[in-house]
Amino acid sequence: MILACPTAQHLLQHAQAEPAQLDFTVVGLNHQTAPVEIREQAAVRGGHEEAVLARLSQHAQEVMVLATCNRTEVYLAGLHTHPARLFEQAWGADLSEHLYIHRGLCAVRHLYRVASGLDSLVIGETQIQGQVKRAWQQAAHFQRTGTLLNKVAQGALAAGKRVRFETGMSDKVVSVSSAAVELATTALGGLAGRTALIIGAGETAELTMTHLRAAGIQDVIVVNRTVERAQQLADKLGGQACAQEYLQEVLPRADVLIASSAAPHYVLNGAGVQGALAARPLRPMVLIDISMPRNLDPDIAEVPGAYLYNLDDLTGIVARNLQSRHAAIPHAEAIIRESGADLLRWHLTREAQHARQSGPLVASA
């Protein structure tokens, strides 16, 4: 099946040696193999991407890092060390018990599944497609990719588009943001007339604000380190902007707080929440942290009247909302297998051509 291409068959029959194996590897961890406190240890801080790629490139010819709230994965071509050791050296921690390693076609299919949303906490979510594209573009910008990694990344993006277009898997909106809003709705018995506070002003924050609006929230406060970005989001969807240094002043107004910023540290702790609740007695506050690393100190959970949730708490909600998508998984997996076979045919043809150009032909009998 894989060698059905006539060109590949002809070249392989006349090559002097067997083609080299597909030299492609992925090593990483995700929400299925590591809890949130472990995923934090492998997070890539904003502005540190170039340094991480540089460290990893000491051990491979081509490198791409995909780091999201639910995964950190390193894709490699031309690897010349053990993947687990590479991961440990790059992040300075032994995370081997949480790592998965795939090689060759299995690694290719893994990236294709990731780009298609099949490996996400929210099956079929669309945000991961853009995250894969940005990870590839970033690696290419720093000149860490080559022919093989570029081909695989392009194939992954194409496979992801096919899955979404041909299966209808993403027709019903289900995301971490929507799950967070659903959790807040359940915890507070409805969001109509409530005030929401969003920490962050990026893509996830915008999705969150959209779902909050749909759930009946009218009063939204956007808090961000850069107040200009907060103002842009507030102007776009309707809300108030606030600089992060004034968070404590506006916090008492919030019935629900959803944190999704890229801050590399906690921006709110239990003492801050306790002070805010003292200013609004008998009114509970729901706080949901969907950022990675976490923005909300776990000690908030000890504060009476504060109800703290993180990414791992959304699993049950997501599972209930995904029943309609599971029926599309067999079709999606078939697309992944077909796309992987296309990539392998390309590789075999390329290797056979290289062998033909660099070595003598097999002598005829």
Side-chain angles (χ1 to χ4, degrees), residues 76-252:
L76 307 134
L79 177 65
H80 46 79
T81 191
H82 192 278
R85 185 171 175 225
L86 171 146
F87 206 91
E88 178 180 349
Q89 290 179 343
W91 276 274
D94 182 6
L95 304 174
S96 55
E97 65 177 294
H98 303 284
L99 296 178
Y100 43 82
I101 299 170
H102 304 300
R103 302 175 189 269
L105 184 58
C106 290
V108 170
R109 286 177 174 169
H110 178 82
L111 180 56
Y112 285 16
R113 295 185 81 256
V114 168
S116 301
L118 297 180
D119 197 59
S120 297
L121 170 63
V122 180
I123 299 294
E125 56 100 359
T126 58
Q127 194 174 0
I128 188 65
Q129 177 96 4
Q131 291 167 330
V132 170
K133 184 176 182 179
R134 285 191 292 273
W136 170 46
Q137 290 176 333
Q138 188 172 67
H141 173 73
F142 293 122
Q143 300 181 335
R144 303 300 180 184
T145 67
T147 302
L148 180 54
L149 185 47
N150 287 337
K151 183 69 175 180
V152 175
Q154 290 167 351
L157 295 173
K161 289 180 181 178
R162 280 194 61 192
V163 166
R164 290 179 174 85
F165 179 77
E166 297 180 21
T167 69
M169 183 175 286
S170 300
D171 289 351
K172 182 181 178 182
V173 176
V174 182
S175 66
V176 170
S177 296
S178 66
V181 172
E182 183 175 339
L183 175 57
T185 303
T186 302
L188 292 172
L191 295 182
R194 304 281 189 176
T195 296
L197 189 154
I198 298 175
I199 298 178
E203 182 180 353
T204 300
E206 183 173 338
L207 285 171
T208 301
M209 193 167 177
T210 301
H211 291 301
L212 285 168
R213 287 294 192 199
I217 288 280
Q218 297 298 319
D219 188 13
V220 181
I221 304 168
V222 182
V223 176
N224 194 61
R225 182 178 59 84
T226 306
V227 70
E228 290 80 11
R229 292 193 63 188
Q231 190 65 59
Q232 289 174 2
L233 180 56
D235 291 344
K236 183 175 182 179
L237 295 178
Q240 305 170 59
C242 176
Q244 190 165 301
E245 55 264 33
Y246 299 110
L247 170 61
Q248 202 61 51
E249 295 183 20
V250 297
L251 187 59

Side-chain angles (χ1 to χ4, degrees), residues 4 12 24 29 43 62 74 79 82 94 106 132 139 180 231 245 247 251 259 262 265 277 283-284 290 303 307 331 359:
L12 286 172
F24 190 70
L29 49 79
E62 304 179 48
V74 183
L79 177 65
H82 192 278
D94 182 6
C106 290
V132 170
Q231 190 65 59
E245 55 264 33
L247 170 61
L251 187 59
H265 51 71
L277 287 173
R283 293 173 58 200
I290 57 175
V303 178
Y307 299 90
H331 185 187

Side-chain angles (χ1 to χ4, degrees), residues 228-312:
E228 290 80 11
R229 292 193 63 188
Q231 190 65 59
Q232 289 174 2
L233 180 56
D235 291 344
K236 183 175 182 179
L237 295 178
Q240 305 170 59
C242 176
Q244 190 165 301
E245 55 264 33
Y246 299 110
L247 170 61
Q248 202 61 51
E249 295 183 20
V250 297
L251 187 59
R253 295 171 52 189
D255 300 299
V256 54
L257 180 153
I258 301 179
S260 64
S261 84
H265 51 71
Y266 297 139
V267 300
L268 184 63
N269 59 22
V273 173
Q274 188 171 24
L277 287 173
R280 41 176 291 156
L282 304 181
R283 293 173 58 200
M285 183 184 298
V286 173
L287 304 98
I288 306 174
D289 197 342
I290 57 175
S291 49
M292 179 57 59
R294 287 174 290 181
N295 289 170
L296 305 181
D297 194 318
D299 72 352
I300 294 172
E302 308 299 323
V303 178
Y307 299 90
L308 176 66
Y309 304 92
N310 62 39
L311 283 163
D312 290 348

